[in-house]
Amino acid sequence: MTDQAVAREVGRRRLRKEDARLITGQTNWTDNIQVAGLLHLAILRSPMAHARLTRVDVSPALERPGVVAAFTGADLAEGLGSLPCAWPVTEDIVLPDHPSVAVDEVRYAGDPVAVVVARDRYAAADALEAIEVDYDPLSPVLDLEAALAEGAPLVHADKGTNRCYTWPLATGESFEAVRDRAEVVLKRRYHQQRLIPNAMEPRAVVVTPLAASGEYTVYSATQIPHILRIMLSTVTGIPEHKLRVVAPDVGGGFGSKLQVYGEEALALAVARKLGRPVKWTESRSEGALATHHGRGMIQDVEIAATREGKLLGLKVDLLADMGAYLMLVTPGIPILGAFMYPAIYKMDAYDFTCTGVFTTRTPTDAYRGAGRPEATFAIERIMDELAAELGLDPVELRRRNWIRHEEFPYTSIAGLTYDSGNYEAATDRALALFGYDDLRAEQHKRNERGDPVRLGIGVSTYTEMCGLAPSRVLRDLRYGAGGWEAASIRMLPTGKVEVVTGTSPHGQGHETCWSQIAADVLGVPFEDVEVLHGDTKAAPQGMDTYGSRSLAVGGEAVHRAARTVVEKARKVAAHLLEASEQDLEFNDGVFSVKGSPEARKTIQEIAFETFTNHDLPDGVEPTINAEHVVDPENFSYPHGTHLCAVEVDTETGRTRIRSYVCVDDVGRVVNPMIVEGQVHGGLAQGIAQALYEEAVYDDDGNLLSGTMADYLLPSAADLPEFVTDRTETPAASNALGVKGVGEAGTIASTPAVVNAVVDALRPLGVRDVRMPCSPHRVWQAIRDARSGTAGGTGGTGPAQSGQSGQAAQSGELGQYGQPGEEGSA
């Protein structure tokens, strides 16, 4: 531990170091890379969701101008193994082979069928039209429940089933026991629609071979250069030490670049075959088909409670759409959410089961939040339904059940130990900023006069597990890697500092934040710190960036490595100042002798002294450089309260967000400006799921929303002005006291918005609107409710008795909603 007590940089609103080159066009995107002799790769993709390949003839493509080579799946099969799945969540999981190019059968629209290599990208794309393919159509598999029925068409016939795995978790009392003694039991079904990631930079890869030594450099728009290097070695057989992977400037990822894609393996295989550098860059429409999708899930949720609103138990049954193949962490994404369905609430029983299902659609995998947004959505939606059933204010119901601040650390019913938090403080602050009571009063008046534009108020109180770790927990979950992270600090002779990090940023501001952390510990100017990342040669150790782990794990590694530098420098300083180490103070980058402040050496002077090595004691090596590997003992648990007010036009179905307030607790803040940017970006994506985005397939398995014209992304004009604020309870799991923030906005916002839409329409008899809550779906839900065709299950068994049951029978409406049967619009 250093003696330095005052942080000069951590907590400061620093402009990002990265931004100057970004806004002046000096970025090095993968698609910008040009090398001598570069060839361009194009991929022919299946137009059918499911079919046998009876003939693939690439020879006509070879006659096209500029074409150098063309390959079928069979041509490439010998040098390419199956693409990896690193998270086999159960011992009996079904793991089908996943070729980079289909050989005998295509299993989703977009599955690669053949490859063309040409001297420019346009010649390669044009030559795809010449390839001749004969397809023998097979039945698509699209409905998750039907896929599990006996006699259903099979995505992988050799496996004999569309069931990928079943993963159970049951803790506390049995759910059946608490259901029997509960006074209120509600069942709901929620649909998590598929989402298509849309990072600003499309995916791209460039491979440059060095034939003489058999070495290859792979430039990829990836979040995971270190993991990609290992997996490409496994898939291609090229020794790992012969591969260098570089993530240049990467323009966003949101989980979609947390992947080992077939295109990366293909580019490497083709570069090896031809001995020439190769580039592939996806088009937007190609990305919609070939970049993995997010979400895709049916959630059956059952909650049991007393009539006073005390939660007793929660039961969750999931059907999770795997798509056609298991990609890097596909099976584990729903499992990440398994631990978060109980959220911030206390209860006696929790029962969770997830069944993974193969379909003939684009594979799913991590998308911002990865399992936790789905969990938060389900629990926060059914909490609102329970509040309506009991005639309670939604906030009051939450207050009656959440973990109180004095109870931390608290082990949740799902088995996680939440180290710190204060849900009361975050909620009270959010309610005050939102003007909650005034909005409720306005809502009541509008409802009384039958205003055609209804006001709805949505609540979402959340926590999440992030900072993906620790390694032993990941082992128990059968995850194929650890949760550690590495960093090293190099003190250069001139006093400048190089921070080498194993995290790989794609917009998060690591260069800025890591500089702030190192500058504080070392006492050097912020401007004197340079951060190196994203290159397996420059930064050989790392577990990369995903799951809001970079700061809590990677930033902590930087912090600890810098502290080690100080302690190594202390030994040299003590010798140079002819004092004992115990008599030295270290403040603002200066070692001084207690009681003799004139005897002093800066850490930058010591860096030069160690370089010259003229006056070091025996046994002291001439360096104060240091490295550290962190393997956290726990996840980090940010939390917060999000409130949304919407106005819903009951005549057109149009929803407008009138105000949005969120108060998040992300622990100690390194750079408030970056935190606010992360929250704003997360809110945009969570609101987009609630109101705008959906991957739509037709009955044949064709993606109908495969272009920007068909897939609705919100612009700034579609989003409200956000009011954001923070409370702070430092994390106990790391010395910095930090928690994750990259996914918080996405996790919390979707249920806040949907709860607001349903809250606006509840007096009209609407109990649910399926996402995205488009004008047509809202209008249809109102129409169904008025005609009495909205069905569903609002409760079961004896739990229907009592006041709430009588209210349902009489049709009375409370201020916060109507008890009784659920509407399914």
Side-chain angles (χ1 to χ4, degrees), residues 50 192 209 218 427 615 729 758:
H50 200 195
Q192 293 283 332
V218 179
T427 302
D615 187 23
T729 54
V758 175

Side-chain angles (χ1 to χ4, degrees), residues 39 41 43 69-83 99-101 115 117 205-209 215-218 228 231-238 243 261-280:
L39 299 175
L41 188 150
I43 299 170
F71 304 102
T72 67
D75 296 332
L76 296 167
E78 185 177 345
L80 281 175
S82 178
L83 293 174
S100 296
V101 181
V115 178
V117 187
V205 58
V206 173
V207 179
T208 60
E215 296 177 314
Y216 300 85
T217 298
V218 179
L228 180 60
M231 294 303 183
L232 285 179
S233 174
T234 301
V235 171
T236 64
I238 297 171
L243 288 174
Y261 281 106
E263 293 86 356
E264 291 161 321
L266 279 174
L268 181 55
V270 170
R272 177 170 57 177
K273 273 182 173 289
L274 301 181
R276 298 271 298 275
V278 171
K279 177 190 286 189
W280 172 82

Side-chain angles (χ1 to χ4, degrees), residues 445-480:
K445 290 178 181 177
R446 285 198 186 195
N447 290 347
E448 278 191 329
R449 67 174 181 258
D451 196 323
V453 178
R454 295 300 178 104
L455 178 63
I457 298 167
V459 181
S460 175
T461 51
Y462 80 99
T463 189
E464 61 153 322
M465 54 184 282
C466 61
L468 195 61
S471 295
R472 287 186 178 90
V473 172
L474 298 179
R475 172 203 63 196
D476 293 342
L477 293 174
R478 302 178 61 85
Y479 184 64

Side-chain angles (χ1 to χ4, degrees), residues 18 104 161 167 193 314 317 346 350 393-394 406 415 494 501 510 567 580 592 756 791:
E18 299 89 336
D104 301 314
T161 181
W167 192 93
Q193 77 270 36
L314 181 70
D317 289 299
K346 296 179 285 189
Y350 175 50
D393 181 289
E406 64 268 16
T494 55
T501 177
H510 293 185
E567 295 312 310
S580 70
S592 60

Side-chain angles (χ1 to χ4, degrees), residues 543-595:
M543 288 301 295
D544 305 317
T545 295
Y546 40 85
S548 297
R549 70 186 303 271
S550 291
L551 180 58
V553 190
E556 177 70 3
V558 171
H559 177 73
R560 294 192 191 183
R563 284 168 51 176
T564 304
V565 168
V566 172
E567 295 312 310
K568 292 179 73 172
R570 185 186 297 275
K571 294 182 181 298
V572 179
H575 173 72
L576 296 174
L577 295 172
E578 298 181 342
S580 70
E581 293 181 39
Q582 291 72 26
D583 289 337
L584 291 185
E585 294 178 331
F586 182 69
N587 287 291
D588 292 330
V590 177
F591 288 100
S592 60
V593 180
K594 295 175 184 177

Side-chain angles (χ1 to χ4, degrees), residues 6 45 65 103 254 295 350 372 414 487 517 565 626 661 697 736 751 759 768 779 798 807 811:
V6 179
R45 299 185 182 275
V103 177
F254 315 115
R295 314 291 191 251
Y350 175 50
R372 286 99 77 206
I517 292 168
V565 168
V661 169
Y697 286 82
L736 285 170
D759 184 64
D768 192 29
W779 177 84

Side-chain angles (χ1 to χ4, degrees), residues 174-228:
S174 75
F175 182 78
E176 289 72 17
V178 301
R179 180 201 283 136
D180 288 344
R181 73 170 190 264
E183 297 170 297
V184 179
V185 177
L186 299 182
K187 286 183 178 180
R188 297 291 186 268
R189 168 167 282 201
Y190 301 119
H191 293 262
Q192 293 283 332
Q193 77 270 36
R194 275 176 168 252
L195 302 177
I196 301 176
N198 279 278
M200 186 174 290
E201 178 203 19
R203 291 191 296 118
V205 58
V206 173
V207 179
T208 60
L210 186 60
S213 60
E215 296 177 314
Y216 300 85
T217 298
V218 179
Y219 300 90
S220 180
T222 183
Q223 299 175 217
I224 53 168
H226 298 91
I227 295 172
L228 180 60

